[in-house]
Amino acid sequence: MSLSISRRHLLKFLSLTGMTTALPSLPIKANEVLSTVDPTKDGKDDYSLIVGGTKESRIGQFSSTLADLFKQNIESNPLLSLQFTTGYDSVTASNLFDTRLTQDGSIALITSGSAIIAALAADPRVHFDYQHWIPVFSTITPIIVISRQPFHNSIPDLLKNRTMKVGVSTLIGKELPTLLGIELLQISTKPVIGITTLSTGIEALRNRTIDILQIDSPEGFAELPKLLAEGFHIFFSFDQESSYSPSFSSLYTKLPHYRTGNTLFEIWQTLALAARINSAVFLPMLTPSALVTKWRLNFEKITDNPYFQSIVHANNIVTQNSLKTIDNFSKLIPSATATLALRRWLSLKISQWEN
């Protein structure tokens, strides 16, 4: 029996491995705004990163550290220039990056997982397709949700006539997996928009403006012992292997209404992983495999640097090697059914939240 494969699935497979040299080149879009960097200029490699944020942002500061370490730890002492962008969730940078379909391998994107969440949620600002990018390097961070009381099986019954107020930056921001997760636990939610900093979130939690706060920053975890001492609880963590318990998966799979094959649970897992991505470096789909390998080797050299290791440890960050980065990226590409289920759920919930 012959086996057929669609071009879409072939491109997806090849993009994960960097094996795209045999594919025909696509034309550069008319609104190309970045100049091509010659990787052999002055006899040595030069690289450039489109940064998913401003110089002062968390990812901007991390990118500056990478640029310094690039010059110190790579034998050819290449220049890693940084092109900072506006925006708070890397969508602007991702749109900019996706206009480049060249194969010179000189320009990459560094973004957070918020851009992927925006794409999955069909944010109208999104004009990129991350599923065709080639993953190079990534770091992840733990995420937990804290509340006024711990979760137990009677909570959904106790809260039938009320909702839990969840602090969020936007309706489809990095807190989306928290909103969806609580709904999957059969608890109604009411998003409280505008919780964009840790200090405003903690203040809102203390004065009962919100019942739920997502903790996803080093500063937040530094405050956690004090919050627990005040009587707050870890409602759930995103990572099943986290030292912070209970994990969402362990709660959800024990509920009576749990069933295998639930598309919303499938997309929750994708969203939760995306939210945990502190930084990720990608190359365009058509980058030759040799250049992809070179980028990956360069980043592996950087991660061996003691100074880099001290930074990630201090910020509660875990570095992913190339194989783990590729594996995680494959998990960020959900089935079409799961993606549609998320968008249908969002359409229904947003209409309810806005009324």
Side-chain angles (χ1 to χ4, degrees), residues 50-203:
I50 299 175
V51 182
T54 64
K55 187 175 183 179
E56 295 74 25
S57 66
R58 188 179 302 277
I59 198 167
Q61 295 176 36
F62 187 71
S63 300
S64 296
T65 299
L66 291 177
D68 292 339
L69 291 173
F70 231 76
K71 192 167 184 62
Q72 297 172 22
N73 291 270
I74 309 304
E75 292 179 1
S76 59
N77 299 121
L79 171 68
L80 181 63
S81 61
L82 304 177
Q83 302 180 44
F84 298 101
T85 57
T86 58
Y88 61 91
D89 57 5
S90 300
V91 170
T92 299
S94 300
N95 284 334
L96 186 61
F97 173 72
D98 225 33
T99 65
R100 290 195 54 83
L101 294 173
T102 59
Q103 302 182 47
D104 61 18
S106 61
I107 296 183
L109 167 73
I110 183 166
T111 178
S112 68
S114 295
I116 294 175
I117 292 176
L120 291 170
D123 189 319
R125 298 173 301 145
V126 170
H127 302 292
F128 60 86
D129 184 0
Y130 76 89
Q131 297 188 17
H132 289 166
W133 298 344
I134 302 174
V136 172
F137 165 84
S138 63
T139 62
I140 61 172
T141 185
I143 295 181
I144 61 171
V145 174
I146 60 174
S147 65
R148 298 189 176 282
Q149 65 272 330
F151 179 84
H152 50 82
N153 288 348
S154 63
I155 287 290
D157 293 328
L158 293 174
L159 299 180
K160 275 185 177 179
N161 297 320
R162 65 175 293 254
T163 60
M164 294 193 81
K165 295 173 289 185
V166 182
V168 301
S169 53
T170 68
L171 290 180
I172 52 175
K174 60 182 180 179
E175 301 86 8
L176 182 55
T178 291
L179 283 170
L180 176 57
I182 294 173
E183 292 274 345
L184 283 173
L185 296 175
Q186 294 192 329
I187 301 171
S188 296
T189 58
K190 177 63 177 178
V192 177
I193 301 173
I195 307 298
T196 57
T197 65
L198 175 66
S199 58
T200 57
I202 292 177
E203 181 181 359

Side-chain angles (χ1 to χ4, degrees), residues 289-300:
S289 57
L291 293 177
V292 176
T293 300
K294 195 167 190 178
W295 273 90
R296 288 172 175 164
L297 288 175
N298 284 341
F299 272 99
E300 286 180 4

Side-chain angles (χ1 to χ4, degrees), residues 127-288:
H127 302 292
F128 60 86
D129 184 0
Y130 76 89
Q131 297 188 17
H132 289 166
W133 298 344
I134 302 174
V136 172
F137 165 84
S138 63
T139 62
I140 61 172
T141 185
I143 295 181
I144 61 171
V145 174
I146 60 174
S147 65
R148 298 189 176 282
Q149 65 272 330
F151 179 84
H152 50 82
N153 288 348
S154 63
I155 287 290
D157 293 328
L158 293 174
L159 299 180
K160 275 185 177 179
N161 297 320
R162 65 175 293 254
T163 60
M164 294 193 81
K165 295 173 289 185
V166 182
V168 301
S169 53
T170 68
L171 290 180
I172 52 175
K174 60 182 180 179
E175 301 86 8
L176 182 55
T178 291
L179 283 170
L180 176 57
I182 294 173
E183 292 274 345
L184 283 173
L185 296 175
Q186 294 192 329
I187 301 171
S188 296
T189 58
K190 177 63 177 178
V192 177
I193 301 173
I195 307 298
T196 57
T197 65
L198 175 66
S199 58
T200 57
I202 292 177
E203 181 181 359
L205 192 66
R206 285 171 174 160
N207 64 25
R208 298 182 178 272
T209 302
I210 61 175
D211 303 308
I212 291 285
L213 179 65
Q214 180 173 301
I215 298 290
D216 51 26
S217 67
E219 296 82 4
F221 281 96
E223 288 290 317
L224 183 60
K226 184 187 299 184
L227 292 171
L228 296 179
E230 290 179 28
F232 297 106
H233 300 269
I234 297 177
F235 206 59
F236 58 77
S237 66
F238 280 20
D239 182 13
Q240 194 164 1
E241 299 177 357
S242 171
S243 58
Y244 303 99
S245 60
S247 70
F248 173 78
S249 296
S250 67
L251 294 180
Y252 178 66
T253 54
K254 292 176 183 177
L255 293 179
H257 67 276
Y258 167 73
R259 58 183 175 83
T260 58
N262 185 342
T263 52
L264 283 178
F265 179 51
E266 177 188 338
I267 200 67
W268 180 88
Q269 293 173 302
T270 304
L271 292 170
L273 177 57
R276 293 183 62 218
I277 294 178
N278 181 71
S279 67
V281 175
F282 296 100
L283 288 168
M285 179 181 65
L286 299 177
T287 306

Side-chain angles (χ1 to χ4, degrees), residues 26-47:
L26 298 177
I28 298 176
K29 294 181 179 181
N31 62 344
E32 178 73 53
V33 294
L34 294 176
S35 60
T36 300
V37 178
D38 183 357
T40 60
K41 184 178 180 181
D42 298 331
K44 67 178 183 180
D45 296 334
D46 285 331
Y47 302 92

Side-chain angles (χ1 to χ4, degrees), residues 5-12 23-24 26 132 285-286:
I5 183 170
S6 69
R7 178 178 175 80
R8 177 176 178 273
H9 285 89
L10 176 62
L11 289 174
K12 183 185 294 185
L23 297 174
L26 298 177
H132 289 166
M285 179 181 65
L286 299 177

